[in-house]
Amino acid sequence: MGFPSLTRAALQQATRKNELIIETGKQIQKDFAEFGFTIHFSEQADIFYDELFHQMKFYVADLLANNMEQFMHFLYRIDVSEQQIAMYQNEMPDSHYDEVITELIIHRELKKVITRDYFRQQSKQNSNELT
């Protein structure tokens, strides 16, 4: 079993999996809470994107307008690079900067969940092979 694809298209497809969606929502809540931001998530997979996107975008736009230092720390904490931002800006030329950043954060959080799940599955598989 190979490492899962982490391309933008693969990430969009992965959001259809309920358990990954719920874990991603919880990860977003956790990371935003570290900065004092409250994200409400109903854990309904079918409205995940719309429900979280608008809340997240509000905080991203506020940080961009009012506290660039905290914004940069926020991006560092979530592990978003300038290179990733530039790539997403190229892929989303008609979107506002705060929308690009918000989309990138959602995908980055999903990558964390997918990667963690992958290694959790590998660990289970390895421990099953040992028994």
Side-chain angles (χ1 to χ4, degrees):
M1 180 172 158
F3 195 75
S5 174
L6 296 179
T7 64
R8 186 167 186 246
L11 290 173
Q12 288 172 329
Q13 185 176 12
T15 59
R16 294 187 188 99
K17 296 183 178 182
N18 289 348
E19 64 190 45
L20 293 178
I21 290 171
I22 291 169
E23 277 189 57
T24 301
K26 289 178 180 178
Q27 183 68 46
I28 289 168
Q29 284 180 307
K30 177 182 171 238
D31 286 345
F32 274 69
E34 288 184 26
F35 287 83
F37 304 141
T38 302
I39 300 290
H40 299 283
F41 177 44
S42 65
E43 296 188 18
Q44 293 182 297
D46 57 332
I47 62 169
F48 159 83
Y49 186 85
D50 288 332
E51 182 180 22
L52 297 182
F53 184 87
H54 298 293
Q55 294 178 70
M56 294 168 62
K57 187 179 131 198
F58 170 80
Y59 292 122
V60 168
D62 186 58
L63 282 175
L64 279 167
N66 299 312
N67 195 336
M68 188 55 74
E69 184 178 332
Q70 188 177 18
F71 175 72
M72 296 307 289
H73 183 66
F74 180 71
L75 292 181
Y76 176 78
R77 169 64 184 93
I78 294 177
D79 194 23
V80 170
S81 70
E82 290 180 31
Q83 181 182 14
Q84 291 169 316
I85 294 169
M87 183 181 75
Y88 271 65
Q89 281 183 296
N90 286 336
E91 291 180 11
M92 303 171 64
D94 298 329
S95 298
H96 293 260
Y97 189 69
D98 57 350
E99 294 170 334
V100 171
I101 298 295
T102 303
E103 175 113 356
L104 177 55
I105 291 170
I106 290 172
H107 290 172
R108 180 65 191 113
E109 298 285 30
L110 182 56
K111 282 181 185 180
K112 287 180 190 177
V113 169
I114 289 171
T115 302
R116 189 169 48 232
D117 184 64
Y118 172 80
F119 285 108
R120 189 180 309 131
Q121 295 301 323
Q122 291 301 304
S123 178
K124 284 180 186 176
Q125 185 178 1
N126 290 341
S127 67
N128 286 340
E129 290 173 1
L130 294 173
T131 57

